[in-house]
Structures are given as C-alpha cells and as structure tokens.
Amino acid sequence: MRRLLLLGLCCFLAPRLSWQQLPRPCASVEALTSKECCPVWSGDGSTCGANSGRGFCQNVVVSDLPNGPQYPHQNVDDRERWPLVFFNRTCQCAGNYMGFDCGDCKFGFFGANCAERRESVRRNILQLSVPERQRFISYLNLAKTTISPDYVIITGTHEQMENGTRPMFADASVYDLFVWMHYYVSRDTLLGGPGNVWENIDFAHEAAAFLPWHRVYLLLWEHQIRKVTGDFNFTIPYWDWRDARDCQVCTDELMGARSPLNPNLISPASVFSSWKVICTQPETYNDRELLCNGTGEGPLLRNPGNHDPSRVRRLPTSADVEAVLSLTDYETGSLDRSANLSFRNALEGFASPETGQAVSGQSTMHNSLHVFMNGSMSSVQGSANDPIFLLHHAFIDSIFEQWLRRHQPPRTLYPTANAPIGHNDGYYMVPFFPLYRNGDYFLSTKALGYEYAYLLDPSQRFVQEFLTPYLQQAQEIWAWLLGAGLVGAFVTAVLATAVALVCRRRQRRKKMPSSFGERQPLLHSSEEEGSSSYQTTL
C-alpha cells in the first residue's frame, strides 16, 4: 500500500517537475569539489549536448592581463579571476547555442535548432497599449513569485563552504535571482573580521564594463522571462526620461503610484506594494561576514523627487544626452569614476554632461535617476528590487547603442588591461553562467538580435510605435470580433427573413378571392384594368 501511495505521488508530481527543464547540478558537492560545471542537456542526454553538436566540456581560460590599482588584494575574493574559485571546466557552446548546458539559443536566435534569426524591438512603455502594459506587469509579478528552475543563489563564500564540501545555496524567484546578481557583482570584499571590508571594488560599475555588463544582464533577464511565460516575443520596454520633470511611470497603471498613507511606499492599488525587497542591508552583511541569502527585508521603497537637490539638480535633458553622445572616447585616464571626457563615465553619471569633467558630490545622467527615486533604487546593491530599474537601464542601453552607431568604435578602443578589476576586455562577467566576456558585448544591438523603437528609421518606427499596437489589439480580440460578426450576420439574416415573410403575406392577402367565391381576380375585365386601387396596392 505504501509503495502504491509513493508511486501515485510521483505520478502526481511528475508533470509539475517536468517544466523545470534541468536540475541545478552545479550546486552539488560533486560539482564543486571537481570544479566542473558541465551539466547534461536533457534534449539528448549528453554532457553539454555534445551528441547533438551543441557544445562540449572544456577548461576555462581566464585573462592574466593586469588590473588597475584600485583593488590591491589578491586571492581574498571569490570573484577574482571569475569563475575559477568555483569551476575551471564549463560547457563551451558551438554555433548558435548558449546556456550552462548549451540548451538555449544565443541572443537573437530562436527555434528548436536555433536557426531562426529574429530582431526583437524594445518599445517605449508610455506608448504600449493598455493590454500590453497589463501583460508586462503580470509578467513581472509572475517572475517575482516563480522559483527559478535553472539557478540558485550563493549564500556563503567559498571558504565558508569549506572549499565546496558544505554547499551554501538557496532558491530564489526568477526576479529575485537578478536582484541578487546585481548585489553580488557590486558587494564589498570581505577581508575577515566584523566590518572589515574593501569597498572600492565593483565588477559592473564605475568602469568600462558598466555598459556591456548591464547589456548582458538585461538580455539574460529578458530571456528568463520568455522561458517562464512562454512568450518569446516579449521585450523589456524602456522609459525615455529625457526632459521629464517627474516620475512619469509612477502610476498605478504602470509601476505604482505613491501611497496616500506613506509617501515612501507604493500605492496599495499597485501589485508592487506587496513586493518584498532582498539584499538591501550591506552593512549588516559586512558586520556578520555573510552574503545576502535572499530573505525578504521589507516593502519596496520609493519617494521620487524628495531627494537631496544638491546632489541631483534635475533629471537629464535631451541636451545632456546629446552632449554625452558627442564624447568620442569610451574610456580615458584612470579608467574609473575620476575619468574626464569619458563617454562611459559621463553616461554613468560621475561626470558633468556639459563639460565631460568628473565631478564629486553630484550625480548626473544614469546615477541621477537612481538618486531621484529616493528609495530602493538609491542603493547600488539593492537597486534592482525596483522594477523601474529595468525601464531605466533599457534606456541607458539605448544611449550606449546610439554612441556605438555614431562613432563606430573598433573593439581595440575597449580597455584590454589596467582597468579596475573585472573590467578588462577579457574578464568574464561576474556572476554569470554561462560565461560572457566584457569585450564581446562592446558591439551593436543589431548583432544581438534587438532594436529600440525610437532608433528605427521613420517608416519602421511608424509600424512599431503606431501600427503594431493596433494590430496586436485586433489580434487579441479577433475571436470576439469574429463572434460578434457571426452573431450580427445571424441577426441580419433573421430580420431579412422576417421582412420577406411579412411582404409575402401582404401580397397573398391582396391576391385572395372575394367573399362571393371568385377563385381569382378578373384581371381581363375593363373595370379592373382601370382600377386605381389595385395599382396602388401593387
């Protein structure tokens, strides 16, 4: 009886587990101690899909070119020479395949064999139709409430894991997984002892990798949403904040209005008011010598506009964007936040957009939006908790794209050495699996299979921003329209039939014999032929 119950339970659970694609084998003792992360692809049952020509397990080769002087330590942080502390063998995918098991398609490719090339278009959220906005918000909430089927988060250092013999991982939702990634890439280095940390380190900010790293981050986020929802036409919308005077997306129809009860909270009418943030207490983690474990830490905070005006005078203008785009050098000088006339530094917000000179005590461009939101967005490590982060960084990515198209920089313009740790061309982006090099994403979105609506030529832009929304609405309600048309046709046919019957009855009444027993009218009589009453009836 017990075996039957277990068998029944397994059969009941099987359909629920099958959608999760693959287990997470690289979080096991075996994988950590062997330092090999080469999972089996479920499509053919072989490691890295080797039997299908998708990829193979290979040694990881990292760049040994020198880093800048900003980080003076060595072998004290798990992110150094990423990912060698954890794994030195991973799947290397071939052709158009991608993923930690080579089971996915590269950015811009679709289909069972990843042979279909398609360009997706990211659109302005303020120009989405009502159904499209509702769908986007529902996707965000689904990601927030769905445990990631592919990944877990690291909750301890490699040393705390006793070199892999005591794994320290935790489940996280698809959305929180990306919040944790943004925390992990920018967290302080733990040097041993309560509060003993090195703060001048960030593998995704304040240097050259800022733009390529966030480009890959958004692509991976977009990819995971598509997998969770099954909607492979989904794209992240952007918020064009040029010349804005307030938070245009802070409405209950979009990202949540201000709560009337507490200006620091989201309106109860928005689904985002129920969200719990993670990874927002860096000082606590440092004091305890721990990593963020993904536990909820309170509600999402936001109070746009009530920030320190001495730090952010106003939101960026169209003129600011144009001034930044005119800078010809991607990086200059020290290759960090003190660089002058650096496009990256000015766009990130450590330099004046008007002069290109580094400024202290002020936040411009990208940074100004984070400070302006005056809440969860204002802390680097926890900023991705606010979904406005996605809209904001999508627009930052579009400005990066404009600069690439305008200046056509060769890859050699990207620093290959002496950038702050994590930012050289050949450095693998922390903490992504599979592995991506910074310099590989110093290229146009066209090569990655996506575009921005406002960067299209006028005819394409008309189709994307004006015609497409109406066509999509028509497609969504076509069944209703068809049903209404059929019902209308049926009603019309019934009415036409009824009218025809009434007309026939009237004609028959005029043709009926008289009360004297005549079987038919005497049409041949001269009297009837001259009857005006008959012709009137006719």
Side-chain angles (χ1 to χ4, degrees):
M1 182 65 179
R2 185 177 180 182
R3 290 182 179 180
L4 288 175
L5 287 174
L6 289 173
L7 180 60
L9 181 62
C10 290
C11 293
F12 175 74
L13 289 176
R16 298 187 176 189
L17 296 176
S18 60
W19 74 274
Q20 293 192 0
Q21 301 178 8
L22 289 170
R24 293 161 283 187
C26 298
S28 66
V29 173
E30 180 183 0
L32 289 170
T33 53
S34 68
K35 290 195 162 229
E36 181 173 292
C37 182
C38 294
V40 170
W41 177 52
S42 61
D44 64 6
S46 67
T47 299
C48 306
N51 291 346
S52 300
R54 285 179 168 256
F56 48 92
C57 192
Q58 184 175 333
N59 293 336
V60 176
V61 179
V62 301
S63 172
D64 286 325
L65 293 177
N67 301 310
Q70 295 85 354
Y71 178 75
H73 304 285
Q74 189 173 1
N75 299 326
V76 298
D77 194 303
D78 294 344
R79 299 166 295 179
E80 297 176 35
R81 295 166 58 83
W82 182 263
L84 294 188
V85 168
F86 292 102
F87 305 107
N88 55 29
R89 286 177 63 81
T90 62
C91 287
Q92 302 295 309
C93 303
N96 297 331
Y97 302 114
M98 185 183 77
F100 59 78
D101 60 354
C102 300
D104 295 332
C105 298
K106 277 186 177 179
F107 303 127
F109 290 90
F110 298 83
N113 296 316
C114 303
E116 178 189 350
R117 177 73 173 175
R118 190 194 312 167
E119 185 176 87
S120 303
V121 178
R122 293 178 179 171
R123 297 164 54 205
N124 190 331
I125 191 170
L126 299 178
Q127 295 176 344
L128 298 182
S129 65
V130 173
E132 288 171 332
R133 294 179 181 186
Q134 293 173 341
R135 185 185 303 117
F136 173 57
I137 293 170
S138 68
Y139 284 1
L140 288 174
N141 202 48
L142 179 64
K144 183 70 172 180
T145 56
T146 301
I147 297 298
S148 172
D150 297 329
Y151 296 96
V152 291
I153 63 174
I154 304 169
T155 60
T157 65
H158 193 256
E159 181 181 1
Q160 291 169 342
M161 294 187 199
E162 298 177 2
N163 298 322
T165 59
R166 190 169 67 92
M168 298 175 67
F169 300 99
D171 287 331
S173 72
V174 172
Y175 191 96
D176 286 348
L177 170 71
F178 283 86
V179 176
W180 178 89
M181 285 181 179
H182 199 263
Y183 148 78
Y184 189 80
V185 76
S186 56
R187 69 175 179 84
D188 301 329
T189 294
L190 303 178
L191 297 177
N196 184 21
V197 298
W198 184 263
E199 296 181 351
N200 192 16
I201 184 170
D202 194 313
F203 292 80
H205 302 85
E206 304 182 14
F210 168 68
L211 293 168
W213 188 94
H214 283 85
R215 173 161 286 188
V216 172
Y217 180 82
L218 292 182
L219 284 167
L220 290 173
W221 196 94
E222 204 168 55
H223 181 67
Q224 286 297 314
I225 289 291
R226 289 171 175 172
K227 292 173 70 173
V228 168
T229 63
D231 182 359
F232 283 86
N233 292 317
F234 168 78
T235 55
I236 298 173
Y238 60 87
W239 172 29
D240 185 345
W241 34 248
R242 288 175 295 183
D243 305 311
R245 296 185 178 274
D246 55 21
C247 181
Q248 300 165 318
V249 297
C250 293
T251 65
D252 284 336
E253 293 75 24
L254 291 173
M255 315 314 293
R258 194 192 312 269
S259 171
L261 304 177
N262 186 334
N264 295 312
L265 299 179
I266 308 297
S267 165
S270 170
V271 67
F272 302 119
S273 64
S274 63
W275 279 25
K276 302 298 180 185
V277 298
I278 67 169
C279 303
T280 60
Q281 302 173 0
E283 295 82 6
T284 301
Y285 314 141
N286 292 344
D287 289 340
R288 297 179 179 177
E289 301 179 76
L290 298 173
L291 302 184
C292 168
N293 61 10
T295 302
E297 297 172 345
L300 180 62
L301 302 177
R302 188 195 302 152
N303 193 346
N306 291 323
H307 59 284
D308 181 358
S310 66
R311 185 172 174 187
V312 174
R313 294 176 295 153
R314 54 172 171 74
L315 292 178
T317 64
S318 298
D320 291 336
V321 172
E322 184 58 34
V324 170
L325 286 171
S326 68
L327 297 172
T328 57
D329 291 329
Y330 183 76
E331 281 292 359
T332 62
S334 57
L335 309 178
D336 58 14
R337 63 183 178 183
S338 64
N340 296 319
L341 300 177
S342 156
F343 164 72
R344 187 277 314 160
N345 204 38
L347 179 55
E348 189 170 359
F350 294 106
S352 166
E354 293 95 343
T355 66
Q357 299 295 311
V359 293
S360 60
Q362 291 188 13
S363 296
T364 66
M365 301 305 291
H366 155 266
N367 290 345
S368 68
L369 261 291
H370 283 276
V371 176
F372 175 83
M373 288 302 162
N374 194 31
S376 301
M377 273 270 280
S378 299
S379 169
V380 175
Q381 296 181 19
S383 58
N385 277 290
D386 193 330
I388 291 179
F389 177 99
L390 298 168
L391 310 179
H392 173 42
H393 272 275
F395 192 62
I396 290 294
D397 184 69
S398 76
I399 298 174
F400 177 34
E401 181 61 21
Q402 286 191 67
W403 186 84
L404 289 171
R405 295 184 188 183
R406 180 178 300 190
H407 299 283
Q408 300 286 314
R411 180 164 174 171
T412 53
L413 198 63
Y414 189 95
T416 56
N418 299 316
I421 186 171
H423 292 264
N424 285 340
D425 180 302
Y427 209 98
Y428 286 116
M429 297 179 181
V430 177
F432 299 147
F433 275 101
L435 304 177
Y436 304 92
R437 285 190 176 94
N438 293 321
D440 290 339
Y441 292 86
F442 187 67
L443 79 173
S444 173
T445 62
K446 293 288 188 181
L448 299 171
Y450 72 101
E451 173 64 285
Y452 287 96
Y454 82 102
L455 299 182
L456 294 167
D457 64 59
S459 60
Q460 290 178 305
R461 185 177 178 183
F462 172 79
V463 171
Q464 284 295 332
E465 294 190 349
F466 300 101
L467 186 59
T468 298
Y470 292 104
L471 293 176
Q472 289 177 341
Q473 286 185 6
Q475 184 179 10
E476 291 169 356
I477 63 173
W478 74 269
W480 181 87
L481 291 174
L482 179 61
L486 292 174
V487 171
F490 176 74
V491 171
T492 301
V494 171
L495 290 175
T497 303
V499 171
L501 289 174
V502 170
C503 292
R504 287 182 182 179
R505 286 179 180 177
R506 285 186 177 181
Q507 290 180 358
R508 287 177 181 176
R509 287 177 182 175
K510 297 303 179 181
K511 294 180 180 181
M512 288 178 63
S514 67
S515 57
F516 298 100
E518 293 182 351
R519 300 177 65 89
Q520 60 182 10
L522 300 176
L523 297 180
H524 59 277
S525 66
S526 59
E527 185 178 350
E528 284 291 331
E529 288 176 359
S531 171
S532 61
S533 64
Y534 172 78
Q535 293 196 17
T536 302
T537 302
L538 181 62

